């Protein structure tokens, strides 16, 4: 069971030296080093050189490191990959993935170099076609996770932003289900109003309740809320422990079912309880 936390996944424009440095000390589970939409066209070439250098010279510790390159069909994608490959990237995040063939093409390019032998692929889920093809994309070679690109999705669907995200719900859930079926990570989209903490909290809670592993973030001020909401609470941890204890006692008595707080506890609840404890341990290790 992979319990690596992805509660907070912070975007950093690859062109911003100060932010690249600052992130070595930020409480983020993962970082998306962006060469795509957060970097202006005139800055693309400088940003990829800067990022390749910083990835090798700075220490980001246990944080997962994803590099978002430009689409391979764009004029920058192939050069991004060439330069970033020197830094032996842990993962490449591919934008605008419409079909599994896009991932397969990147996988072949990674296969062709020794520096990227271990590099995993993450895919942006940000187009109607991508959403419809999510099941096949999730099972493509080297796939490790989906990132929801909700701004692009809303644009292409012509739908409006609402606090309940009802217009986007199906487009969020199809990739979510595809990710679960394939056993890969899936992270919710960004909350644009980065100074609105209450709104962020509500959207994090909604994403958590739906089953997302965490939230993509655009500003360090958003880290605390995401880390808190996507971590098991003290109450959840305590309940998980009590369920495991009660179930073990029931099993010792030769019974297959226990009761905790007036609710039935079966083996499947114990699987969830153990996952909660494993996640809490992984988070504690991350923040040591
Ligand atoms: N990652 C790491 N550090 C960041 C950061 C980020 N995404 N965004 C801001 N910071 C740092 C700044 O460098 C600054 O550090 P300092 O005070 O130690 O010098 C500090 O946090 C405060 O920044 P602030 O002045 O509040 O933000 P800003 O006005 O400079 O920038 C944004 C605001 C939204 C432009 C900026 O946060 C950003 O570029 N976010 C990422 C956007 C992105 O990647 N989008 C693509 C995906 S949707
Ligand atoms: Mg996008």
């Amino acid at each position: 069971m992979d319990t690596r936390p992805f509660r907070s996944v912070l975007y950093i424009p690859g062109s911003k030296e100060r932010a690249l440095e600052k992130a070595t000390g930020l409480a983020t589970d993962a970082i998306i080093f962006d060469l795509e939409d957060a970097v202006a066209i005139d800055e693309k070439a400088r940003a990829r050189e800067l990022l390749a250098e910083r990835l090798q010279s700075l220490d980001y510790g246990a944080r997962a490191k994803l590099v978002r390159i430009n689409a391979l069909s764009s004029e920058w994608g192939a050069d991004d990959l060439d330069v970033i490959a020197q830094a032996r990237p842990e993962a490449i995040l591919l934008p605008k993935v419409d079909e599994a063939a896009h991932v397969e093409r990147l996988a072949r390019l990674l296969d062709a170099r020794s520096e990227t032998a271990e590099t995993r692929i993450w895919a942006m889920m940000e187009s109607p076609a991508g959403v419809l093809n999510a099941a096949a994309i999730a099972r493509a070679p080297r796939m490790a996770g989906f990132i929801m690109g909700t701004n692009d999705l809303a644009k292409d669907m012509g739908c409006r932003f609402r606090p309940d995200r009802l217009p986007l719900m199906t487009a969020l859930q199809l990739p979510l289900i595809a990710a679960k079926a394939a056993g890969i990570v899936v992270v919710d989209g960004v909350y644009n109003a980065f100074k609105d903490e209450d709104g962020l909290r509500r959207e994090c809670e909604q994403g958590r309740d739906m089953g997302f592993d965490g939230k993509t973030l655009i500003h360090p001020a958003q880290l605390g809320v995401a880390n808190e909401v996507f971590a098991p609470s003290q109450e959840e941890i305590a309940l998980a422990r009590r369920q495991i204890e009660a179930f073990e006692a029931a099993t010792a008595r030769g019974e297959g079912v226990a009761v905790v707080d007036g609710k039935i506890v079966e083996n499947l609840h114990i699987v969830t309880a153990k996952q909660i404890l494993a996640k809490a341990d992984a988070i504690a290790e991350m923040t040591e």
Side-chain angles (χ1 to χ4, degrees):
M1 186 170 56
D2 189 0
T3 51
R4 189 171 190 181
F6 284 94
R7 297 167 300 166
S8 47
V9 180
L10 180 65
Y11 279 101
I12 304 186
S15 52
K16 288 200 177 166
E17 289 201 55
R18 171 80 195 122
L20 289 174
E21 196 175 315
K22 197 176 170 76
T24 59
L26 291 174
T28 189
D29 288 344
I31 301 172
I32 296 174
F33 298 99
D34 194 19
L35 297 175
E36 200 219 12
D37 285 353
V39 176
I41 290 175
D42 293 348
E43 293 270 275
K44 296 276 188 203
R46 186 187 70 86
R48 70 166 78 93
E49 298 289 344
L50 174 71
L51 180 57
E53 195 282 316
R54 291 299 190 273
L55 282 175
Q56 293 171 89
S57 62
L58 293 174
D59 182 4
Y60 291 98
R63 299 168 188 83
K65 300 180 285 294
L66 284 60
V67 178
R68 185 165 78 167
I69 62 171
N70 288 279
L72 293 172
S73 57
S74 74
E75 65 181 282
W76 310 285
D79 290 341
D80 287 347
L81 193 59
D82 267 348
V83 174
I84 292 301
Q86 298 162 16
R88 300 181 171 270
E90 166 184 335
I92 297 288
L93 171 58
L94 195 60
K96 316 261 172 356
V97 177
D98 288 335
E99 54 187 10
H102 291 173
V103 174
E104 288 158 8
R105 180 175 168 205
L106 174 58
R108 283 195 298 275
L109 294 172
L110 297 176
D111 288 344
R113 300 165 192 269
S114 59
E115 302 93 318
T116 49
E118 307 289 327
T119 304
R120 307 295 303 273
I121 299 176
W122 288 61
M124 293 296 303
M125 283 287 110
E126 55 184 349
S127 69
V131 165
L132 290 174
N133 291 321
I137 296 168
R139 293 184 185 283
R142 294 184 185 242
M143 277 298 301
F146 280 163
I147 302 282
M148 297 308 306
T150 38
N151 284 322
D152 272 299
L153 256 179
K155 167 174 96 25
D156 286 3
M157 294 193 34
C159 72
R160 297 199 182 181
F161 290 96
R162 285 182 11 179
D164 64 4
R165 296 201 288 179
L166 200 57
L168 266 185
M169 202 39 73
T170 302
L172 290 170
Q173 284 186 316
L174 287 173
L176 181 68
I177 295 165
K180 300 291 169 177
I184 64 172
V185 178
V186 58
V187 180
D188 201 356
V190 298
Y191 187 70
N192 293 327
F194 60 85
K195 292 184 177 152
D196 170 12
E197 195 174 311
D198 293 339
L200 172 67
R201 182 176 293 275
R202 275 194 298 276
E203 208 170 274
C204 283
E205 286 172 352
Q206 183 194 41
R208 174 201 62 195
D209 292 354
M210 288 172 70
F212 284 108
D213 291 293
K215 191 141 181 87
T216 42
L217 308 171
I218 48 181
H219 193 281
Q222 298 183 310
L223 289 167
V225 169
N227 283 339
E228 180 194 328
V229 172
F230 284 95
S233 68
Q234 289 309 318
E235 294 76 36
E236 284 169 327
I237 293 169
L239 177 62
R241 292 210 177 102
R242 287 196 295 129
Q243 287 175 325
I244 292 167
E245 254 171 50
F247 189 76
E248 280 171 359
T251 312
R253 292 193 302 271
E255 294 161 18
V257 179
V259 176
V260 172
D261 297 346
K263 292 187 192 126
I264 195 163
V265 175
E266 298 176 56
N267 196 36
L268 66 102
H269 301 111
I270 298 308
V271 172
T272 305
K274 286 184 175 162
Q275 279 168 351
I276 288 170
L277 297 185
K279 193 170 175 186
D281 285 348
I283 289 168
E285 228 169 86
M286 184 88 198
T287 50
E288 255 167 22

